[in-house]
């Protein structure tokens, strides 16, 4: 599978939110307003890209040589968490403005299931370094796309006349299910 | 056994390296922001629940620092936090926590004290009644007893009492002031909760005029003005007015008032102090 097809497969066919059901808590938590959704999407893109690459390095230069691949999950968690923490410190020094726009979201998504999921899926599929990074970017873009689309849906839901029994979260879950059904249509695509 | 040692040792070394790395990064790139935002952030609960509508406590702190949110922006912190934020925002003076504002209904003309002059059959809303014939109550300055205020109350702190007047459950009140805004006769005023001696009448009519329609209104007899030891009570026309800044809450005026228009409200402050209860958690008659 080429890098381009890997990218499109990751964004649409295997969308992290709508097909794999990963990262649902930030998806539902921050999709209320478009502005926050964009900030979250940027933060996720940053973290998932960096963590895919780092996880590959950790896998091939630390876990595999020592025969510790069964510790993959816990090792990835501490590596990614400290990496994000360090990146935030550096970001705060280099560009306080960028840090302010990403800063709120970075600690919130440190090793959420989508971020950890992309690293584990890379290891399971046996991707190379660049494949891992592209898959990470694709997953994050797919997550950002889902967040962006759904923020639009929710801004309209706020104004809709919802039956009292469904008001609030229930109707949001229904809408998320419908959006997921729409993305199911992409499953028919074959990517080479 | 060797497996176990490798696993434990491997993770230990990994954790150690990452921790050391973070420490190095922290020394090389020290946090250099210690501004307004951080002072707000330090006050907030830090649970990042998002109930305020922003993405977390950091985001709310930034909004507060820009002055775009009020002291009650955080629904989690309650009155205690609201007091601190008000000081930080420069709304309340430092040193003392600002007393919360509670609604005072300046009318005691219930069904018994102020009987109806007729039967109102219009829309059951005070604003509609004022807009049409003035409702069914005898006093044209008093409460219409149609419940617009308690229907507007978002927390149910204001409810309809047995005599048709709104009754406040102070513990449930958030001090939002919506009731004060919807009352078409401006009978509800937001009043500091620690100023418990109040005049509960807004009728500018003469003593005879008040007595003709209500047995609980202020007739302008001036007994409260004469009895007040600190000169806190004055008259505005035929209506008693209490200067909150001077009032010592002694209650002498409450005792001499012949109609009961001057009252103690929110429960008596002195009694509450004796019981060791806080100002905000106490229900009271309003």
């Amino acid at each position: 599978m080429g890098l381009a097809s890997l990218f499109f497969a990751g964004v649409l066919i295997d969308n992290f939110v709508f097909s794999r059901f990963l990262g649902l808590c930030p998806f539902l938590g921050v999709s209320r307003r478009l502005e926050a959704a964009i900030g979250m999407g940027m933060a996720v893109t940053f973290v998932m890209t960096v963590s895919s690459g780092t996880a590959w390095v950790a896998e091939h230069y630390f876990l595999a040589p020592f025969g510790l691949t069964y510790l993959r999950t816990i090792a990835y968690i501490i590596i990614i968490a400290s990496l994000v923490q360090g990146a935030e410190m550096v970001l705060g020094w280099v560009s306080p403005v960028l840090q302010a726009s990403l800063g709120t979201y970075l600690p919130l998504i440190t090793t959420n299931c989508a971020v950890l999921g992309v690293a584990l899926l890379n290891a399971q599929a046996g991707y190379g370094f660049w494949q891992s990074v592209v898959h990470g970017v694709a997953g994050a873009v797919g997550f950002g796309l889902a967040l962006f689309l759904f923020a639009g849906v929710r801004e309209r839901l706020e104004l809709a006349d919802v039956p009292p029994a469904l008001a609030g979260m229930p109707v949001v879950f229904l809408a998320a299910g419908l959006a997921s059904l729409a993305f199911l249509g992409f499953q028919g695509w074959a990517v080479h | 056994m060797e497996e176990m040692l490798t696993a434990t040792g491997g993770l230990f070394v990994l954790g150690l390296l990452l921790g050391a790395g973070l420490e190095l990064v922290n020394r090389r790139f020290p946090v250099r922001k210690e501004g307004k935002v951080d002072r707000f952030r330090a006050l907030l609960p830090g649970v990042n629940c998002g109930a305020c509508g922003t993405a977390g406590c950091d985001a709310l702190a930034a909004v507060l620092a820009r002055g775009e949110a009020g002291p009650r922006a955080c629904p989690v912190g309650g009155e205690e936090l609201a007091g601190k934020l008000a000081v930080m925002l420069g709304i309340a003076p430092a040193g003392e926590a600002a007393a919360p504002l509670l609604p005072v209904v300046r009318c005691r003309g219930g069904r018994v004290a102020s009987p109806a002059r007729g039967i109102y059959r219009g829309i059951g809303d005070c604003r509609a009644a004022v807009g049409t014939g003035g409702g069914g109550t005898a006093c044209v300055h008093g409460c219409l007893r149609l419940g617009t205020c308690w229907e507007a109350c978002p927390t149910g702190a204001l409810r309809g009492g047995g005599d048709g007047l709104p009754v406040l459950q102070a513990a449930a009140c958030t001090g939002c002031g919506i009731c004060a805004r919807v009352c078409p006769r401006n009978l509800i005023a937001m009043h500091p909760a620690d100023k418990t001696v109040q005049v509960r009448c807004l009728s500018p009519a003469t003593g005879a005029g008040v007595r003709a329609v209500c047995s609980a209104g202020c007739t302008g007899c001036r007994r409260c003005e004469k009895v007040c030891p600190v000169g806190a009570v004055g008259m505005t026309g035929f209506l008693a007015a209490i200067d909150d800044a001077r009032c010592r809450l002694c209650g002498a005026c409450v005792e001499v008032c012949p109609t009961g228009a001057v009252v103690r409200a929110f429960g008596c402050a002195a009694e509450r102090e004796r019981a060791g209860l806080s100002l905000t958690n106490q229900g009271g008659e309003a």
Side-chain angles (χ1 to χ4, degrees), chain B:
Chain B
M1 188 62 197
E2 200 193 319
E3 274 282 274
M4 210 175 83
L5 283 179
T6 326
T8 321
L11 275 188
F12 179 75
V13 172
L14 183 66
L16 210 63
L17 284 178
L18 288 168
L22 275 184
E23 179 58 31
L24 281 180
V25 171
N26 197 22
R27 293 226 176 125
R28 173 73 185 77
F29 305 102
V31 183
R32 57 173 175 181
K33 49 169 191 179
E34 180 57 48
K36 217 173 164 188
V37 177
D38 296 86
R39 292 204 300 276
F40 279 114
R41 177 65 188 78
L43 288 179
L44 296 173
V47 290
N48 289 320
C49 64
C52 53
T54 68
C57 293
D58 286 343
L60 180 60
V63 175
L64 282 165
R66 288 199 303 271
E68 290 168 13
R72 284 171 202 274
C74 176
V76 178
E79 285 304 327
E80 201 187 331
L81 177 64
K84 288 184 199 160
L85 287 182
V87 173
M88 189 81 96
L89 285 164
I91 297 169
E96 54 180 305
L101 293 178
L102 292 176
V104 172
V105 183
R106 291 173 292 179
C107 178
R108 297 190 72 236
R111 286 200 191 94
V112 177
S114 178
R117 62 176 167 146
I119 297 167
Y120 172 75
R121 288 189 196 280
I123 301 167
D125 185 296
C126 303
R127 290 164 294 192
V130 162
T132 51
T137 50
C139 176
V140 294
H141 309 284
C143 178
L144 291 144
R145 309 199 287 257
L146 293 172
T148 294
C149 52
W150 66 74
E151 268 163 34
C153 178
T155 62
L158 218 53
R159 291 194 193 146
D163 56 358
L165 295 173
V167 176
L168 179 72
Q169 199 62 43
C173 182
T174 61
C176 66
I178 291 174
C179 51
R181 287 195 290 278
V182 297
C183 180
R185 284 182 170 166
N186 290 324
L187 288 174
I188 303 181
M190 298 308 289
H191 199 88
D194 55 351
K195 298 297 179 188
T196 55
V197 177
Q198 298 151 359
V199 181
R200 293 294 184 88
C201 182
L202 210 58
S203 170
T206 59
V210 168
R211 264 194 295 272
V213 292
C214 183
S215 63
C218 176
T219 57
C221 67
R222 313 187 78 153
R223 283 190 219 177
C224 46
E225 187 185 9
K226 285 168 200 151
V227 83
C228 182
V230 291
V233 187
M235 301 299 288
T236 312
F238 293 96
L239 202 57
I242 295 172
D243 181 355
D244 282 335
R246 283 198 216 162
C247 177
R248 296 279 173 272
L249 308 177
C250 68
C253 50
V254 179
E255 271 154 42
V256 297
C257 181
T259 62
V262 182
V263 298
R264 273 196 189 280
F266 311 136
C268 170
E271 275 169 29
R272 239 190 339 245
E273 225 160 78
R274 247 178 275 139
L277 294 170
S278 83
L279 208 61
T280 49
N281 295 331
Q282 178 72 4
E285 179 266 343

Side-chain angles (χ1 to χ4, degrees), chain A residues 108-182:
Chain A
L108 291 178
I109 52 167
T110 311
T111 56
N112 79 4
C113 42
V115 174
L116 187 62
V118 75
L120 291 174
L121 286 167
N122 286 339
Q124 270 171 18
Y127 287 149
F129 180 75
W130 287 111
Q131 278 180 315
S132 295
V133 171
V134 168
H135 188 230
V137 175
V141 170
F143 182 87
L145 178 73
L147 212 59
F148 181 76
L149 291 177
F150 207 59
V153 171
R154 281 185 79 171
E155 285 191 349
R156 288 185 172 223
L157 269 181
E158 295 278 313
L159 303 172
D161 187 16
V162 179
L166 293 177
M169 250 347 189
V171 77
V172 172
F173 276 110
L174 283 181
L178 291 176
S180 173
L181 274 181

Side-chain angles (χ1 to χ4, degrees), chain A residues 11 61 95 104 129 159 169:
Chain A
V11 173
Y61 291 97
S95 162
T104 325
F129 180 75
L159 303 172
M169 250 347 189

